[in-house]
Amino acid sequence: MDIALDSPTRTFIEVTEVWVPDGDRLVWSSGNYGALGEFAALSEQKSFAKGEGLPGKAWAEARPVVLKTFDGSYFKRIEAAKEAGLTSAVAVPIFAGETLKAVVVVICADDDARTGAIEVWHESNGFLMLDDGYYGAARHFEWVSQHTHFPRGQGLPGGVWAANAPMLMRDLGSGYRFIRADAAGKAGLTTGLGLPIAVPGDKTYVLTLLSARGTPIARRFELWNAHTSKIGNGAEAVLADGICAREGPLWDDENERRVGAWQGAIGQVLGSGIPVVKFDTATLTAGYDSMVALPIYRNGAITHVVAWYY
């Protein structure tokens, strides 16, 4: 199956971190910084008021925020990011109804080889339009995306919008369902993950993560359906879809995979209702260094848990 790298040497995303509300500020909850120890130590001591820094801006504006460059911006860790080689970031707020549960921030480095896409789409006049995105070296694909819009049900963003549920899409460069297939193929993009981002009010946002073979966003993707709307003890989820660079398809209707609250990382999300970043190899699926798991909310309840592994 034509998906992410079997043995990737570099990932498209360098840092992933989770910030959670504590009174009137956001504080660090979990994160993976790879070898960027100094940036990690600084970040873990930070906190952000509403509207302050990138996490605070996503909180205040109640929408995903793309920051393509740190120079001269409101980013609060500019010097440390420069020293670490980090250049751009995307912040995604996780709301349960009107309540902010967390802000997930992914931070990238820019070079001539790193290719992928993190896109934010918003509804306008009956179509999904590109709000903003970060594409690394995929300049032509970025241009195509800026000039593409999706009706409900069309392409990956439109499919997520219609279903109001996360979706995985394979073989982006050749799949007839992926509207930008030709440009995706030229950019080396292979696998797409689309997520509905619930925010207060009636605004529609879709986040898409498009992974390339050479610098993948992840080596393994999982979509779990939550079979109860409650958070905490009694919550459970079943694996509904998944793909892996080594194993291929992960979902098998004859061998159901089910987890309950507090069982592993997926269960931790079900139990707590907040995203988590794990990098303890002893507790992860064999062969992975870290993973991200986040809840997808609808009407204040968890409907899915989405995970990706590095």
Side-chain angles (χ1 to χ4, degrees):
M1 177 171 293
D2 187 17
I3 56 176
L5 264 184
D6 291 330
S7 301
T9 56
R10 307 176 74 183
T11 55
F12 188 65
I13 296 172
E14 289 280 349
V15 170
T16 306
E17 50 191 20
V18 176
W19 303 85
V20 297
D22 183 6
D24 61 355
R25 300 188 71 82
L26 290 171
V27 299
W28 187 90
S29 175
S30 63
N32 179 31
Y33 299 84
L36 305 179
E38 292 184 9
F39 188 76
L42 171 70
S43 300
E44 290 172 15
Q45 302 304 313
K46 285 284 186 180
S47 67
F48 298 94
K50 193 172 186 179
E52 181 184 22
L54 182 59
K57 186 175 180 67
W59 180 14
E61 298 189 2
R63 65 178 182 90
V65 177
V66 178
L67 189 55
K68 290 184 178 180
T69 180
F70 296 151
D71 289 339
S73 75
Y74 49 81
F75 195 76
K76 293 296 183 181
R77 295 168 282 170
I78 292 177
E79 291 305 317
K82 279 185 177 180
E83 292 180 7
L86 303 172
T87 57
S88 55
V90 180
V92 182
I94 307 296
F95 281 93
E98 300 287 327
T99 302
L100 181 76
K101 304 294 289 185
V103 175
V104 177
V105 175
V106 296
I107 309 178
C108 302
D110 195 9
D111 57 42
D112 292 336
R114 215 172 297 235
T115 297
I118 305 172
E119 305 174 313
V120 176
W121 300 85
H122 74 283
E123 188 274 332
S124 177
N125 298 318
F127 293 92
L128 283 181
M129 314 293 290
L130 184 67
D131 191 71
D132 209 345
Y134 174 68
Y135 298 84
R139 306 300 184 198
H140 176 68
F141 186 79
E142 179 176 9
W143 183 90
V144 170
S145 301
Q146 291 168 343
H147 295 81
T148 303
H149 57 270
F150 295 93
R152 186 188 294 267
Q154 189 176 68
L156 179 58
V160 171
W161 181 19
N164 197 16
M167 291 178 60
L168 274 171
M169 190 171 283
R170 285 88 161 160
D171 303 326
L172 299 185
S174 57
Y176 69 94
R177 294 175 58 206
F178 193 72
I179 304 304
R180 299 167 285 167
D182 183 63
K186 292 176 180 177
L189 300 173
T190 57
T191 305
L193 172 64
L195 310 176
I197 304 300
V199 298
D202 58 358
K203 296 180 180 178
T204 297
Y205 287 98
V206 172
L207 178 74
T208 50
L209 306 177
L210 309 181
S211 192
R213 182 180 301 279
T215 52
I217 283 178
R219 289 186 283 162
R220 179 187 181 106
F221 297 92
E222 297 175 350
L223 300 185
W224 296 77
N225 287 349
H227 280 201
T228 175
S229 61
K230 68 186 295 185
I231 298 172
N233 294 335
E236 62 178 8
V238 173
L239 184 67
D241 197 2
I243 49 178
C244 174
R246 295 196 312 264
E247 302 167 44
L250 301 176
W251 175 74
D252 181 353
D253 58 3
E254 296 183 359
N255 297 285
E256 183 180 79
R257 293 183 57 195
R258 183 182 295 265
V259 297
W262 308 112
Q263 294 179 343
I266 305 301
Q268 184 175 336
V269 174
L270 292 171
S272 67
I274 65 172
V276 64
V277 179
K278 292 282 191 181
F279 55 91
D280 177 6
T281 55
T283 62
L284 292 179
T285 301
Y288 299 98
D289 298 323
S290 61
M291 62 93 71
V292 180
L294 68 152
I296 302 297
Y297 283 89
R298 183 191 303 164
N299 299 324
I302 294 177
T303 58
H304 303 81
V305 177
V306 178
W308 57 90
Y309 297 71
Y310 302 106

